[in-house]
Amino acid sequence: MKIVNTLPCDNHEIENLWITLSDGCRLAARAWLPVDAEQKPVPAVLEYLPYAKRHKTQTRDEHAHRYMAGHGYACLRVDVRGTGESDGLITDEYTQQEIDDGVEVIDWLSRQPWCDGAVGMMGNSWGGYNSLQVAACRPPALKAIVASGCSDDRYADCMHYRGGCQLTEHHGWSATMLSFFSVPPDPTLLDDNAAAKWRDMWLERLEAHEFTLPTWLRHQRRDALWSHGSICDVAQSIDVPALIAGGWGDVYSTPVPRILSQVPETSRAIIGPWLHGYPYDAMPGPQIGYLQECLRWWDHWLKGHETDVLDEPRFRIWVYDSEPPRAWYEQREGSWIGASTWPPETVEVRHLVLNRGSLDGAAEIERELTISSPLTTGTAASEICPMGWGPESPGDQRLDDGGSLLFDTEPLTERLELAGAPVVELELTCDRAVGQVAVRLCDVAPGGASVRITYGLLNLTHRDGHVDLEPLESGKRYRVRVVLDDIAYAVPPGNRLRVAISTSYWPLVWPAPDKPTLSVFTGVSSLQLPVMPTRPDAQVSFDESEMAEALGEEVLEPENHRRFVERDLESGVVTAVTIEDHGRRHDTSHGMVKSGRTVRTYRVHPDDPASARVEARRTVTMARDDWSVRTEIVTSQRCDRDAFYVSGRLEAYDGDERVFMREWNDTIPRDLV
């Protein structure tokens, strides 16, 4: 990554700019403008987030927006209503109010004296989501978007459910939101009488903000709650070109091709080796000149310059090379390909049969194999949304392979490149009304080391969709289809491919109400592999990653992210712990000292679904001179076979004085999950 100190256009910053909406609510924005923009108006680029611009995303915003402003754009980073210094309240993710406000902000931007009337919108994660959602409303001034790390389907491909299985991140993300949105505005950015106003705003937010997990848990099927904000239901409304990006290591890789199929043909996609983040600094490397790609996009669609963006392949895709399994990579080996379609036009589907312990081209006689995995199967998995903050990638899969049915090919005689979504079709029975299956495709080295290439999940009661569900009948034979996540991966000669099937995938997935036993019938179950015997002809290359210099930040205590698993040999309980410690930092530009630490704990007994428990503890502090605030949250989720039990507590401190405390306790019946 290259820090660029000299940019083509001189620019200046407005640290806090108020945008007054039609209902009187004021949104707080940070702006970077070319110095002569009022004399020579320029296009505007909007990033719209609920993560407070003053203390949460300040450094990242400076890297990106100062860079783009230095290339002739008016860049605004706006806090969503009820967050940062913005007025109002936030009640959930992607509310209609948030989307409507975004439309109004774009109209406001287009009418400013320093804007020439053309607006683009960009974002990663939440900002990627609302870029798509706002674009679907077709605001007239919006001419193009850039969205990364996001999904078109909030139910099927997000941090709530996968394949109808409830993810434990359903709890984790709600705890994070409770913490994020409990912090106050920065008094120094408010108007006169700020000493009183910041605390009033803070207490109003604390009183109004809800712990979202109970609401989410009351919607265990794909209903209107999840359809709202899922642009797959309204994608035909998006009429502006979109540059869509993602990383194979992110939870949001598979939606990228789907999104591209629902937006104008002039849209383009990039999928690299990254975890969750912007591709100019996301881990692992190699990073790319993503901000340069954004500028080429904006220059073409907002300024009308010829930048050859439409000459690029519709898909630019990173193909992983095989490497030993590690939970943390600085860099990944591999190479770029370009393709006009996904899967690439050269891909052929190769069918392999799951025989007894093997993957073969021809079926052997039918056999019945049973599996009832320890509920701890899955501890070698990745985080559902790895951020690059430590050992979050999947480790050696042999630990999970031991609790799974395994089907291996013979050692490969030549390199095998995969590009697309593998599909496993299983004929099976289940002895319980609710069961789930986790299917992993692995790359197994001659010494036995096992790398997870991709995986898929299915709640078997969701075998025919996520709306009309039916419990399983014990002993009844079903044929189910498990679609694994899209991937581009090269398996070298000498290695084997492995399909691993388990009935549990903890701590990613909440276990079924009763521990099920599956019978899988070999000889009639199969794997469909998207094999790329030759690569498309298109050539792909990227510039070195560049960004602007950020304002000064002094590290007082370094980050310390950890992830570990403990097994109690007496009780048998397995505990997985994730620690996200962001250290303590001093922003020298405005004097704020900030810190944040999260500990997530997952406990389960290998044979008892009712023992499953998730807990999150998160502390955030903000301080300057004699002003100091702190929020602390503790949330938990447990279950029995009939219900989920949820608790939460939020405490807020002004100095050493506790000024607020609220608790939640809810019981939510299980609905075939």
Side-chain angles (χ1 to χ4, degrees), residues 231-271:
I231 63 103
C232 60
D233 292 344
V234 294
Q236 67 277 8
S237 297
I238 296 179
D239 62 352
V240 296
L243 177 61
I244 309 296
W248 290 130
D250 189 8
V251 65
Y252 298 118
S253 59
T254 291
V256 173
R258 289 204 311 267
I259 295 171
L260 214 68
S261 72
Q262 303 169 85
V263 292
E265 283 292 322
T266 49
S267 301
R268 295 292 185 268
I270 302 170
I271 308 179

Side-chain angles (χ1 to χ4, degrees), residues 66-131:
R66 182 173 291 132
Y67 183 88
M68 290 186 292
H71 287 82
Y73 289 89
C75 296
L76 266 76
R77 169 53 185 90
V78 177
D79 282 336
V80 167
R81 181 187 296 242
T83 68
E85 283 67 55
S86 291
D87 293 345
L89 302 170
I90 185 169
T91 57
D92 204 340
E93 56 182 12
Y94 321 126
T95 64
Q96 190 60 51
Q97 182 70 68
E98 175 189 332
I99 297 168
D100 292 344
D101 288 352
V103 171
E104 193 169 347
V105 168
I106 287 173
D107 176 65
W108 179 91
L109 276 173
S110 72
R111 293 183 285 103
Q112 298 312 297
W114 32 260
C115 178
D116 67 4
V119 180
M121 190 170 179
M122 67 177 291
N124 181 70
S125 196
W126 193 305
Y129 269 99
N130 64 27
S131 293

